[in-house]
Amino acid sequence: MPKYIVVVMVDQHTPFAVGCYGNTRVKTPNLDRFAQQSTLFSNAYTSSPVCVPARFSALSGLYPSHSGCVSNQTPLPITTRTMAHIFREQGYITGFIGKMHPVDPQTHGFDYYVDFGHYFDYLGRHIETYTRGMHADDSGKGVPWITTYQNPNNSWNLVPPRSGLPRRLADEDQFENFVVREATRFLRTYRQHQLLLFVSFLRPHTPLIVPQRFYDLYCEEDMEMDKFRQEDLNSYLRSRLAPGWGTCETTELAQRHMHNYYATVSYVDDQFGELCKALQNLNMWDDTIVVYTSDHGEMLYQHGMVGKFTFYEGSVKVPLMIRQPQQTTGNVFSVPVDHTFLLPTLMGLANFDPRGMDGLDVSRMLGGRLDAVTSYPIFSELTLGQGEVTRMVRYRNWKFVQYLDDFSQLFNLDEDPEEFSNRAGQGVDQERDLKAMLLDHIEKMGGNRNKLAGPNPHV
């Protein structure tokens, strides 16, 4: 049984912007070094390409339609067990430090809990510098702390930051620095006990505001954009296209966005490195399971889109690396997994019986102990509008997405990794098989094809 477990979940980090996943432009030295002594999951997916359902899927091992947390407005039911409850029952002290994005005032079983409210207490008179400059008018950026609302006049993905105000905060006052410092304090204080610590960063979520030295690592003109291509899209996907996509003006905006995103990723990499360094300085590194992942990805203008909210690879795929105690060599796990696999796999590594969850324990396949040839269908779910839902299934190298308007997409990801060749409706045998898997999944989750049933009466 491992003495310590540290799970790091960042926000909106696509694996297409990590060096160890094949990007030669982005600078992520700490993550690349971590990958060399970890199991890297090359086909890891979010259970929902939106913040709150994704986070609580990882915490509970349940798909959103099973847990009831189906959108950024629906809380995880207070009766749902999380990894905190499970590991606490096995004698671990549990801590959550960072962005939980709880929707309502729960701690979800954690003994020790530090979130945005505590960060605002720390900032004191500097809080206006943070909140005004971050366009912080929805809880995705921490304000307000509990109630979620959105300013319809603020397109927070693209609007430039107000006067660069957050850059006026000292480095040590940035949210991620605060989180790493508080995580280190928790580890130092309680290291004589068995510990489970969940560390959660806000970035690289927009707005993309970090200390200047990380912008200086890149040049806007060097950012390469995908070429404009005409695609057969339904009304929802067309609504996700960046305004004016394909024009010179939008290309300049896209290059600026990618430049700032890469800078933010490098900042996150730096802070992850600081946390790993703290574990080493406290002589805890060799006794710790360390996980790095993200709640969902970022499109980065792939298919002319920015942000998340789609089932294209840029949005729905996530980095996932797990380092076991004493592990010194890296390996790659290529079988598709999703966030529901995380909790049962951690339980398997800790020799607990992982029952009652949607995800599977793949701990026995890590470290090259078994030939990872077995594949399972994995799923992702997204609530649109008034609880209406679209779903994705991936099995082996095929991915199928079904929308409510009967529009669907089918991609062979080995032959078409960029997802420009939609094979749906062409009589491909895999479409029939994937549809059957999706229908079976819907039955297991409650049997409603068109709705996700959340505990919030307004959804």
Side-chain angles (χ1 to χ4, degrees):
M1 183 183 295
K3 187 169 184 181
Y4 312 116
I5 300 172
V6 176
V7 179
V8 178
M9 177 174 277
V10 303
D11 196 326
Q12 207 153 313
H13 190 182
T14 176
F16 298 103
V18 193
C20 54
Y21 278 84
N23 186 315
T24 59
R25 290 181 176 272
V26 72
K27 295 175 174 62
T28 52
N30 294 295
L31 288 169
D32 299 345
R33 188 162 45 247
F34 181 69
Q36 293 172 2
Q37 47 187 300
S38 307
T39 298
L40 183 150
F41 291 75
S42 58
N43 290 300
Y45 288 82
T46 180
S47 299
S48 182
V50 62
C51 298
V52 178
R55 289 169 182 273
F56 285 123
S57 187
L59 282 167
S60 68
L62 303 175
Y63 288 109
S65 54
H66 192 179
S67 74
C69 179
V70 299
S71 73
N72 278 0
Q73 288 75 41
T74 53
L76 188 73
I78 200 167
T79 53
T80 301
R81 284 161 55 81
T82 69
M83 65 174 62
H85 298 103
I86 292 167
F87 279 86
R88 187 179 182 183
E89 290 168 358
Q90 299 295 327
Y92 283 73
I93 290 177
T94 62
F96 190 106
I97 299 176
K99 177 189 175 182
M100 181 179 277
H101 207 155
V103 185
D104 63 358
Q106 299 181 47
T107 61
H108 297 288
F110 286 94
D111 301 303
Y112 190 97
Y113 177 60
V114 178
D115 201 342
F116 269 107
H118 307 92
Y119 173 59
F120 297 151
D121 286 344
Y122 162 80
L123 284 179
R125 63 188 177 86
H126 297 295
I127 189 171
E128 185 178 2
T129 302
Y130 174 85
T131 56
R132 287 184 58 209
M134 289 291 281
H135 285 299
D137 45 18
D138 81 307
S139 67
K141 301 174 211 65
V143 179
W145 187 23
I146 300 297
T147 303
T148 301
Y149 74 98
Q150 182 74 42
N151 180 349
N153 297 319
N154 175 24
S155 177
W156 49 261
N157 268 322
L158 300 175
V159 173
R162 298 172 195 164
S163 305
L165 282 173
R167 297 187 196 178
R168 298 180 190 174
L169 290 174
D171 285 9
E172 63 267 23
D173 294 336
Q174 300 288 340
F175 181 68
E176 282 68 26
N177 291 66
F178 169 82
V179 167
V180 170
R181 193 163 57 247
E182 290 302 307
T184 302
R185 184 156 70 100
F186 172 82
L187 294 168
R188 182 186 300 112
T189 302
Y190 298 104
R191 60 181 167 173
Q192 68 272 28
H193 302 278
Q194 289 178 303
L195 300 178
L196 167 72
L197 175 61
F198 200 106
V199 178
S200 183
F201 293 166
L202 165 64
R203 295 171 175 96
H205 192 290
T206 50
L208 306 173
I209 303 169
V210 293
Q212 183 62 42
R213 68 181 184 277
F214 296 101
Y215 298 103
D216 295 341
L217 295 173
Y218 304 97
C219 179
E220 282 186 20
E221 291 74 16
D222 293 337
M223 299 294 115
E224 293 185 355
M225 299 292 105
D226 286 347
K227 293 182 179 179
F228 177 77
R229 306 189 199 185
Q230 192 68 43
E231 297 182 64
D232 180 22
L233 305 176
N234 68 350
S235 59
Y236 173 72
L237 290 173
R238 285 195 297 273
S239 74
R240 299 301 309 165
L241 292 172
W245 175 242
T247 66
C248 292
E249 182 180 351
T250 306
T251 299
E252 292 175 5
L253 181 62
Q255 286 182 309
R256 188 176 312 124
H257 180 85
M258 182 172 281
H259 169 264
N260 294 344
Y261 183 81
Y262 277 19
T264 309
V265 166
S266 290
Y267 170 64
V268 165
D269 175 83
D270 178 78
Q271 291 305 295
F272 176 71
E274 290 299 313
L275 182 61
C276 292
K277 196 179 303 179
L279 285 165
Q280 293 162 0
N281 292 340
L282 293 168
N283 296 317
M284 300 170 70
W285 183 249
D286 288 334
D287 298 313
T288 306
I289 294 173
V290 180
V291 178
Y292 182 90
T293 191
S294 178
D295 54 356
H296 50 74
E298 154 68 49
M299 287 298 291
L300 277 184
Y301 285 89
Q302 294 176 20
H303 297 268
M305 299 176 189
V306 68
K308 58 256 191 189
F309 302 117
T310 77
F311 292 114
Y312 286 116
E313 295 285 273
S315 167
V316 77
K317 210 167 185 180
V318 295
L320 175 60
M321 291 176 271
I322 300 178
R323 180 191 182 272
Q324 300 181 62
Q326 306 292 334
Q327 185 173 349
T328 57
T329 58
N331 57 85
V332 176
F333 188 95
S334 60
V335 174
V337 298
D338 61 46
H339 274 147
T340 66
F341 284 54
L342 179 59
L343 176 52
T345 297
L346 290 176
M347 294 173 67
L349 291 173
N351 298 316
F352 304 166
D353 187 6
R355 294 182 181 177
M357 281 162 278
D358 297 328
L360 299 175
D361 169 19
V362 296
S363 61
R364 294 183 300 115
M365 297 183 185
L366 305 187
R369 286 179 296 220
L370 286 178
D371 185 16
V373 296
T374 305
S375 192
Y376 315 90
I378 60 97
F379 303 93
S380 191
E381 306 171 334
L382 175 63
T383 299
L384 306 175
Q386 298 301 309
E388 297 176 346
V389 62
T390 183
R391 293 178 174 90
M392 181 206 89
V393 55
R394 174 167 178 180
Y395 181 64
R396 295 182 177 168
N397 58 312
W398 288 87
K399 181 169 78 173
F400 177 74
V401 182
Q402 181 65 66
Y403 292 85
L404 284 178
D405 57 6
D406 291 326
F407 178 80
S408 57
Q409 294 174 309
L410 178 69
F411 300 111
N412 183 326
L413 295 174
D414 283 353
E415 298 176 359
D416 178 32
E418 293 183 317
E419 301 176 285
F420 279 109
S421 179
N422 183 6
R423 305 285 298 279
Q426 297 179 13
V428 178
D429 290 344
Q430 285 81 0
E431 181 171 4
R432 179 197 60 220
D433 297 339
L434 291 170
K435 279 184 176 180
M437 292 175 186
L438 200 54
L439 287 172
D440 182 61
H441 170 74
I442 292 169
E443 285 298 317
K444 289 178 179 177
M445 297 299 107
N448 192 326
R449 178 180 181 272
N450 296 333
K451 297 286 185 180
L452 289 182
N456 187 327
H458 301 294
V459 175

